[in-house]
Amino acid sequence: MSFLVIGECVADIVRAPAGSGAADRVHPGGSPANVAYGLARLGRDVTLLTQLADDPAGRLIAGHLTGAGVRIALGGTPARTPSAVVGLDERGRATYTFDIAWTLEAGAAAEADASPSHVHIGSIAAVTAPGADTVLAETGRLRDRVTVSYDPNVRPELMGEHAEAVARVERCVALSDLVKASDEDLAWLHPGEDPLAVAARWLTLGPAVVLVTRGADGSFALTRHHAVAAGAPPVSVVDTVGAGDSFMSAVLDTLAGQDRAALGELSAEELARLLDRAGSAAAVTVSRAGAQPPDRAELDAAHEEFALRSGRAS
């Protein structure tokens, strides 16, 4: 099975705490790039359709991705590789200030991978003009023969006018079979609404499964037949950079090969295992600096330990 991920790469510049004397750290990032990297770390065949400049940040990111086995297809070359200054609070939670342009060229997906089994889109690339139009067009072109996943990964400073941003996100939701969002995403998109109610409404737009992550409070999954919640594994947090992307990679790995109909018929037990395994991947990631998702051996060990603790070991 092959995955095609369409979206941005970003150089994450993690600021050192004030007065610490430590240097800033530069990590390869960008939500879609992190998902592709996480899939490759799990041994999956994955191509990332993206944009990178031939500059130090671009070369750093390219080496990081290809070192894990990600194939990179370029849909245009920007003047400089996008970047984000990442600030961390006392709990390791990240905030971002972006310098990014997204101008993906039409037709690029056809050249990137002629026959993917699954397409993943999300984040800045799915809603930022002019490249977002290409992302949606290419996804729509492929949708009849592949499954599609989407993670809005909301960045408010890049979303523009709120009502238009919500409409763009919901167009992506309607294209997708599987959607993952954080409770923070939903709070910005639909302030004051219950995340479960938003997830239920998104189900009516087309997806078979909607997943919502809630940080240390765990996650839940919603289908037309089941609503399942799971706790988060206990972990000492270094930072939260890439946690949601690691969760997404583990979800896609776990569900690899499921067609559109099968996704809608996942049992409550299968959904619980899915949440536990994806939560374990996120826990490994937050236990170390930067977007460093687990490989398969690390994920299997972390999931087995969490399943034993939660009483869901097989």
Side-chain angles (χ1 to χ4, degrees), residues 1 3 44 117-118 147 252-260 262:
M1 176 172 184
F3 291 87
R44 293 295 180 179
S117 308
H118 182 89
T147 48
L252 297 180
D253 175 69
T254 304
L255 296 178
Q258 301 270 20
D259 63 19
R260 191 162 287 135

Side-chain angles (χ1 to χ4, degrees), residues 9-13 57 61 80-85 97-101 124:
C9 292
V10 179
D12 287 337
I13 305 167
I61 293 170
R80 61 186 180 277
T81 296
S83 64
V85 175
T97 303
F98 292 94
D99 177 9
I100 186 168
I124 298 163

Side-chain angles (χ1 to χ4, degrees), residues 71-113:
R71 288 186 300 275
I72 298 174
L74 293 180
T77 304
R80 61 186 180 277
T81 296
S83 64
V85 175
V86 184
L88 301 175
D89 67 14
E90 66 281 356
R91 296 174 59 186
R93 293 177 301 189
T95 57
Y96 299 83
T97 303
F98 292 94
D99 177 9
I100 186 168
W102 179 245
T103 58
L104 190 70
E105 295 175 356
E111 299 176 12
D113 189 332

Side-chain angles (χ1 to χ4, degrees), residues 2-311:
S2 64
F3 291 87
L4 174 63
V5 179
I6 309 175
E8 74 276 3
C9 292
V10 179
D12 287 337
I13 305 167
V14 182
R15 293 290 189 221
S20 68
D24 294 345
R25 298 169 313 196
V26 180
H27 295 289
S31 177
N34 290 342
V35 172
Y37 182 76
L39 283 166
R41 290 271 291 166
L42 294 172
R44 293 295 180 179
D45 182 341
V46 56
T47 297
L48 174 66
L49 174 57
T50 191
Q51 295 186 307
L52 284 171
D54 184 15
D55 56 18
R59 291 188 288 274
L60 171 71
I61 293 170
H64 170 77
L65 292 168
T66 58
V70 178
R71 288 186 300 275
I72 298 174
L74 293 180
T77 304
R80 61 186 180 277
T81 296
S83 64
V85 175
V86 184
L88 301 175
D89 67 14
E90 66 281 356
R91 296 174 59 186
R93 293 177 301 189
T95 57
Y96 299 83
T97 303
F98 292 94
D99 177 9
I100 186 168
W102 179 245
T103 58
L104 190 70
E105 295 175 356
E111 299 176 12
D113 189 332
S115 56
S117 308
H118 182 89
V119 173
H120 175 73
I121 62 173
S123 195
I124 298 163
V127 295
T128 301
D133 292 339
T134 300
V135 173
L136 295 183
E138 298 289 2
T139 304
R141 179 181 65 81
L142 292 167
R143 192 179 185 279
D144 285 345
R145 53 191 174 90
V146 303
T147 48
V148 177
S149 57
Y150 171 58
D151 177 0
N153 192 45
V154 168
R155 301 300 184 216
E157 60 269 41
L158 299 176
M159 299 296 285
E161 197 276 326
H162 186 266
E164 291 181 6
V166 171
R168 289 196 300 271
V169 167
E170 291 189 346
R171 281 199 294 272
C172 295
V173 170
L175 273 174
S176 303
D177 303 292
L178 170 72
V179 176
K180 191 277 290 182
S182 71
D183 52 359
E184 293 179 345
D185 293 335
L186 299 186
W188 187 85
L189 290 165
H190 300 286
E193 290 196 48
D194 181 353
L196 185 61
V198 177
R201 189 164 67 247
W202 280 7
L203 276 180
T204 68
L205 299 179
V209 184
V210 176
L211 309 174
V212 177
T213 58
R214 301 182 293 175
D217 293 325
S219 57
F220 69 80
L222 195 65
T223 69
R224 289 167 181 79
H225 306 297
H226 303 289
V228 176
V235 64
S236 296
V237 176
V238 174
D239 68 47
T240 62
V241 177
D245 304 323
S246 182
F247 186 102
M248 187 82 246
S249 297
V251 165
L252 297 180
D253 175 69
T254 304
L255 296 178
Q258 301 270 20
D259 63 19
R260 191 162 287 135
L263 289 173
E265 298 301 322
L266 291 169
S267 69
E269 293 76 15
E270 289 170 321
L271 291 168
R273 180 180 181 275
L274 175 68
L275 295 176
D276 283 353
R277 191 164 187 271
S280 298
V284 172
T285 302
V286 303
S287 72
R288 48 204 189 192
Q292 295 294 330
D295 62 21
R296 185 166 297 280
E298 290 176 315
L299 177 54
D300 287 347
H303 180 221
E304 182 179 1
E305 180 181 354
F306 182 46
L308 286 169
R309 287 185 179 185
S310 61

